[in-house]
Amino acid sequence: MAATELTIIRSRVRWTRDYWVQWSVAAFTALLVFAPIAVALLQSVRSTPLYESEWSFTLDHYVRLLTNERFWEALRNSMALAIFGSLTATVIGAALAIVLIRTNIPWRRTFSELLQAPLYVSSLVMAFGWYMLYGPSGYISLASVTFLGGVPWNLYSLPAIGVLAGFSLVPVVFLYCSATLRLMDASLEDAARSTGASPVRALYRVTLPLMRPAILYSLLLCFVGSIEVLSIPLIFGTAERIEVFTTFLFREGIGRTEPDYGLLAAASVMLLLLMTVLVSLHSRVLGNTHRFTTVKGKATRPHTIDLGRWRWVAFFAVAAYVTIVILLPLVGLVFRSFVKFLTPLVPPWDLFTLDHFRSLIEQPSYVRAITNSFVVALFGAAFVTALVMVVVLIVKRSTFPLAKTLETIALYPRAVPGIVVGIGFLWIGLTVPGFTLIHGTLFAMVLAFSMRDLPTAFGAIAPSLTQISRELDLSARTCGADWSTASLRVIVPIARPALLAAYMLAFVSMLKEYASAVFLFAPGSEIMGTVMLQLWTNGNFGPVAALAVVQVTATVVVVLMVRRLMGVRMYE
């Protein structure tokens, strides 16, 4: 569109309803994203807490942080954890994608479905499952001591914590790499085969190099994800006093009677800067990606590689990974919720009990936590879906002058760890006039969770709008409809499947969220994640398992509903 034409359109829409809607939504989105960051930044340079009126500018908090040995130890541990986690996730995820997409291994579809389970289940729940089976007093660990005389693994170590973090991120790598493999042109491998290369050699010399963008992107994404994980180092690192960046923030804010708000804010800003730098590398790390283009005209689908007898070796290897890492921990949680304690020395039917589930019904705090989790997920998902729908319409289907900036703002929360979001909204509720009314309420969690899920909803809705021809809404405009009417009457009904997908993704994400809530909940506004953490700290493992089963069951029901209504997978 020419500059003069754009100027004419802007002059016509100024002061109209479209003008106010677009600028209001853009301003609200920017406020939602940057307000918690701004208050953290302000607290980091204030000499006194935000709720005190007298203050002066200071950099003393940063000086104390940078001279704090615990901070540097946490930073070193976070980098080590991220290296172990990203390498584990990338190697295993890429290998599983190649085996399940390009070979004739049996049960490929079933394994592909099971590998995505950690996407729907909270990392907190998976960490509980791993602990109850493979921890020092876990079921399989005790069985190993009984029958083998010892335990060949130690989960209370930094490499083990990193590997577990990697396990939780394997599905991300698998999805990126499998999508690349499905779109790859088979003629490239055929050319290698025509020169005498074996199928495995063609896979190694041709296919694997062409997967480099997906592998590099996944590697960096998992590096970022490993740094912001809280549950795994909190559960497995506490006993050996292994502290990472997120647990450092957690203990400074929750574990102290009188939190050092200045030090906490400075650490939050430092973590935010680190994550921003890492996320910004996503768009630059691949360089010129045109040389990796494989989908062109007359492309054919890749051939399935016949592994021969080795297909059963691959089958048992994949089955062992899925069983040990995903299925057994979830099954162990279910068993733990129905027994007084889980041990291989006593038959489980001798320890059968319904007391843990009975306590979920009889204890008001547990009932409240379950109810609150569903309320936040139901209304929060609706809120963020509606907001992002308007944001995407502004970005993709309007002449809004700051459309590209608005898109960047909506995607920026990818760089903001959940624990930093919680700290920021905590200070907003404590200090900003008017917002003190929402402090410790579910509304504060809805705002915080919505801010976290802006990129998820954007990614679910934006591709759908790019597939809808602009002729449809332009035709409505030529009939006299303004942008708002054309969007509401024409585009939104067509994009309804994408809205449903975005809603369900946000619902699942909010139902399993816990990191943002640890700083936001108060008596009466607990959710399942925060209650599980409290129960775990007190050693009440039975109710923890029962709550985890409730959360997983609700998630499974939602996922099955989405598949039945839409006929597609949520992460596809």
Side-chain angles (χ1 to χ4, degrees), residues 10-333:
R10 288 178 181 173
S11 63
R12 290 176 180 174
V13 301
R14 190 174 296 277
W15 311 118
T16 63
R17 179 177 64 172
D18 295 345
Y19 175 86
W20 287 111
V21 168
Q22 292 171 6
W23 278 101
S24 298
V25 170
F28 177 80
T29 305
L31 185 65
L32 181 67
V33 172
F34 293 120
I37 299 172
V39 293
L41 181 61
L42 178 61
Q43 177 62 83
S44 69
V45 294
R46 279 180 57 116
S47 58
T48 58
L50 286 169
Y51 52 78
E52 295 187 9
S53 57
E54 295 183 2
W55 66 282
S56 60
F57 177 84
T58 181
L59 295 177
D60 181 62
H61 304 312
Y62 289 99
V63 174
R64 290 191 297 114
L65 179 69
L66 296 177
T67 55
N68 189 327
E69 181 57 33
R70 283 181 55 231
F71 165 75
W72 289 108
E73 181 183 0
L75 182 59
R76 288 192 297 268
N77 289 341
S78 290
M79 293 297 104
L81 185 151
I83 292 172
F84 284 118
S86 57
L87 290 178
T88 298
T90 304
V91 171
I92 296 178
L96 288 172
I98 292 173
V99 170
L100 295 178
I101 303 301
R102 299 303 309 278
T103 73
N104 63 337
I105 178 177
W107 290 20
R108 290 186 299 169
R109 182 179 294 274
T110 301
F111 285 141
S112 298
E113 295 285 342
L114 293 174
L115 280 172
Q116 298 179 42
L119 290 173
Y120 307 116
V121 180
S122 168
S123 61
L124 183 65
V125 171
M126 294 302 303
F128 289 151
W130 291 328
Y131 183 90
M132 290 180 182
L133 287 188
Y134 310 117
S137 58
Y139 185 89
I140 294 180
S141 296
L142 292 177
S144 178
V145 171
T146 302
F147 298 106
L148 302 178
V151 181
W153 57 81
N154 175 25
L155 299 187
Y156 285 174
S157 64
L158 190 58
I161 295 172
V163 170
L164 292 177
F167 286 161
S168 68
L169 295 167
V170 163
V172 176
V173 183
F174 175 78
L175 287 177
Y176 278 111
C177 292
S178 61
T180 299
L181 288 168
R182 288 190 180 98
L183 294 173
M184 198 168 289
D185 187 357
S187 63
L188 302 172
E189 290 182 1
D190 291 341
R193 294 289 303 279
S194 66
T195 62
S198 66
V200 176
R201 184 174 178 82
L203 189 68
Y204 173 74
R205 298 300 299 270
V206 177
T207 305
L208 201 57
L210 290 173
M211 290 175 60
R212 196 181 306 166
I215 292 175
L216 290 177
Y217 185 86
S218 300
L219 180 68
L220 187 56
L221 192 64
C222 292
F223 193 91
V224 173
S226 298
I227 289 178
E228 71 170 345
V229 69
L230 171 63
S231 58
I232 297 173
L234 188 64
I235 291 174
F236 294 99
T238 300
E240 296 296 326
R241 297 183 179 179
I242 299 175
E243 195 161 61
V244 297
F245 221 143
T246 51
T247 57
F248 177 83
L249 291 174
F250 180 83
R251 300 189 198 287
E252 285 294 324
I254 301 294
R256 297 180 55 165
T257 306
E258 295 183 5
D260 188 338
Y261 289 117
L263 189 68
L264 183 62
S268 301
V269 172
M270 295 294 288
L271 177 58
L272 183 62
L273 289 175
L274 174 63
M275 299 292 285
T276 301
V277 170
L278 292 174
V279 170
S280 67
L281 292 176
H282 280 182
S283 59
R284 301 182 183 184
V285 70
L286 301 181
N288 180 18
T289 58
H290 295 292
R291 58 196 173 100
F292 298 102
T293 302
T294 63
V295 180
K296 299 179 180 179
K298 298 182 180 180
T300 58
R301 294 185 65 84
H303 302 297
T304 300
I305 299 174
D306 185 4
L307 295 179
R309 296 179 180 178
W310 287 99
R311 72 182 187 276
W312 291 107
V313 176
F315 169 81
F316 286 112
V318 175
Y321 173 83
V322 171
T323 302
I324 295 172
V325 175
I326 299 175
L327 294 182
L328 281 181
L330 294 177
V331 172
L333 280 172

Side-chain angles (χ1 to χ4, degrees), residues 224-472:
V224 173
S226 298
I227 289 178
E228 71 170 345
V229 69
L230 171 63
S231 58
I232 297 173
L234 188 64
I235 291 174
F236 294 99
T238 300
E240 296 296 326
R241 297 183 179 179
I242 299 175
E243 195 161 61
V244 297
F245 221 143
T246 51
T247 57
F248 177 83
L249 291 174
F250 180 83
R251 300 189 198 287
E252 285 294 324
I254 301 294
R256 297 180 55 165
T257 306
E258 295 183 5
D260 188 338
Y261 289 117
L263 189 68
L264 183 62
S268 301
V269 172
M270 295 294 288
L271 177 58
L272 183 62
L273 289 175
L274 174 63
M275 299 292 285
T276 301
V277 170
L278 292 174
V279 170
S280 67
L281 292 176
H282 280 182
S283 59
R284 301 182 183 184
V285 70
L286 301 181
N288 180 18
T289 58
H290 295 292
R291 58 196 173 100
F292 298 102
T293 302
T294 63
V295 180
K296 299 179 180 179
K298 298 182 180 180
T300 58
R301 294 185 65 84
H303 302 297
T304 300
I305 299 174
D306 185 4
L307 295 179
R309 296 179 180 178
W310 287 99
R311 72 182 187 276
W312 291 107
V313 176
F315 169 81
F316 286 112
V318 175
Y321 173 83
V322 171
T323 302
I324 295 172
V325 175
I326 299 175
L327 294 182
L328 281 181
L330 294 177
V331 172
L333 280 172
V334 175
F335 269 97
R336 182 64 183 88
S337 66
F338 286 103
V339 297
K340 296 176 182 177
F341 54 90
L342 193 62
T343 174
L345 305 178
V346 181
W349 50 84
D350 291 343
L351 302 173
F352 178 82
T353 180
L354 293 176
D355 289 345
H356 307 316
F357 286 98
R358 190 176 294 112
S359 66
L360 297 187
I361 301 174
E362 295 176 351
Q363 290 286 342
S365 60
Y366 299 165
V367 176
R368 193 165 52 238
I370 296 172
T371 304
N372 289 344
S373 293
F374 281 97
V375 169
V376 170
L378 285 169
F379 289 97
F383 172 74
V384 74
T385 301
L387 174 63
V388 171
M389 183 66 208
V390 180
V391 169
V392 174
L393 286 169
I394 294 173
V395 171
K396 302 295 184 181
R397 311 303 283 253
S398 78
T399 57
F400 186 63
L402 300 179
K404 192 65 179 178
T405 303
L406 180 58
E407 180 178 7
T408 302
I409 292 173
L411 295 177
Y412 181 71
R414 293 178 300 176
V416 187
I419 194 168
V420 175
V421 174
I423 293 171
F425 276 98
L426 168 67
W427 282 329
I428 290 176
L430 289 175
T431 59
V432 177
F435 283 91
T436 55
L437 298 175
I438 70 170
H439 173 61
T441 66
L442 297 182
F443 186 68
M445 291 191 193
V446 168
L447 290 177
F449 291 5
S450 297
M451 185 269 206
R452 288 270 290 162
D453 285 324
L454 282 174
T456 301
F458 193 97
I461 297 174
S464 177
L465 259 67
T466 60
Q467 297 175 352
I468 301 174
S469 174
R470 295 187 65 90
E471 296 176 356
L472 298 175

